[in-house]
Amino acid sequence: MYVWGRLARMMATARSRGPYQIGDQSRLVFRCLPTDIDFISHLNNARYMMLADLGRIDVFLRVGLVALARRNGWAPMIGGLQSAYVREIRLWSRFEVVSSIETWEGTSVIGKHRFVLDNGETAALILTTGGVYDRRGGRFLEIEEVVAALGNSAEPRPPTEPERAFMISHRNLREEAKRA
């Protein structure tokens, strides 16, 4: 079951969080509900991905990408992700999903989603890679082109070592999947 109620709430309150600037963080507060847990009574790994989706959609809405994509026939797409779980999120626990655009290179953008417990500790970290597909042109767009179309002049920072390793690992796994 998707998180439709949470998606509707996030979309209805997006304006109250103000515009997203590249380099900012999206912060969404949740509580771990009975529909989120597995048999161990903590947030299940599939729900982490769905809640990261909400953080990503919040960023896309507030930066203006959703409206721009609709006008231009573009489709923001996730290419892959890597997750690390370091602490559990128990039933009824309150937590935040802190999402950000970290950097980009060519047609790939790196996003980060950090699941933060009430005490400030990180429960999980998810790195994502994605791009913006131009359906009319049949190609992935250079992220600099997308950033410029958004009216932003932000420059990407060099990827950190973990981000670089993630990008290489993702590229290798993607090539493997294409051969399979």
Side-chain angles (χ1 to χ4, degrees):
M1 183 176 133
Y2 197 73
V3 288
W4 295 111
R6 288 171 168 163
L7 174 65
R9 184 178 120 224
M10 180 275 299
M11 293 176 76
T13 60
R15 283 185 199 250
S16 70
R17 288 185 296 286
Y20 179 88
Q21 297 295 321
I22 295 173
D24 285 352
Q25 295 179 331
S26 158
R27 302 182 84 90
L28 300 174
V29 177
F30 299 104
R31 186 166 301 278
C32 183
L33 301 175
T35 54
D36 297 329
I37 62 172
D38 58 19
F39 68 94
I40 305 172
S41 295
H42 64 202
L43 194 69
N44 76 53
N45 50 346
R47 188 63 83 206
Y48 279 95
M49 306 316 146
M50 288 182 179
L51 295 172
D53 279 346
L54 295 183
R56 196 167 29 263
I57 294 167
D58 183 53
V59 168
F60 292 171
L61 279 170
R62 293 174 44 219
V63 80
L65 182 59
V66 171
L68 184 65
R70 284 184 179 151
R71 279 194 308 272
N72 293 320
W74 297 350
M77 296 183 179
I78 189 166
L81 59 86
Q82 183 176 18
S83 56
Y85 308 102
V86 293
R87 291 175 187 84
E88 66 181 352
I89 298 177
R90 304 279 307 158
L91 179 62
W92 304 119
S93 297
R94 186 180 173 278
F95 62 96
E96 279 187 310
V97 178
V98 181
S99 302
S100 57
I101 296 171
E102 292 297 301
T103 191
W104 59 89
E105 188 174 271
T107 60
S108 295
V109 63
I110 299 293
K112 181 166 70 173
H113 307 278
R114 193 165 63 98
F115 289 70
V116 182
L117 301 171
D118 263 350
N119 65 4
E121 292 182 315
T122 297
L125 184 65
I126 299 174
L127 287 180
T128 60
T129 183
V132 179
Y133 189 72
D134 179 357
R135 289 184 167 143
R136 295 176 189 149
R139 66 182 180 98
F140 279 92
L141 299 169
E142 295 288 323
I143 300 303
E144 288 181 3
E145 182 181 347
V146 177
V147 170
L150 289 167
N152 199 307
S153 60
E155 294 290 325
R157 63 163 171 72
T160 63
E161 280 304 311
E163 289 167 348
R164 174 70 59 205
F166 168 59
M167 292 165 77
I168 292 168
S169 172
H170 172 71
R171 186 171 36 249
N172 291 341
L173 185 58
R174 188 171 174 82
E175 289 304 315
E176 178 68 24
K178 287 179 179 179
R179 287 191 298 270

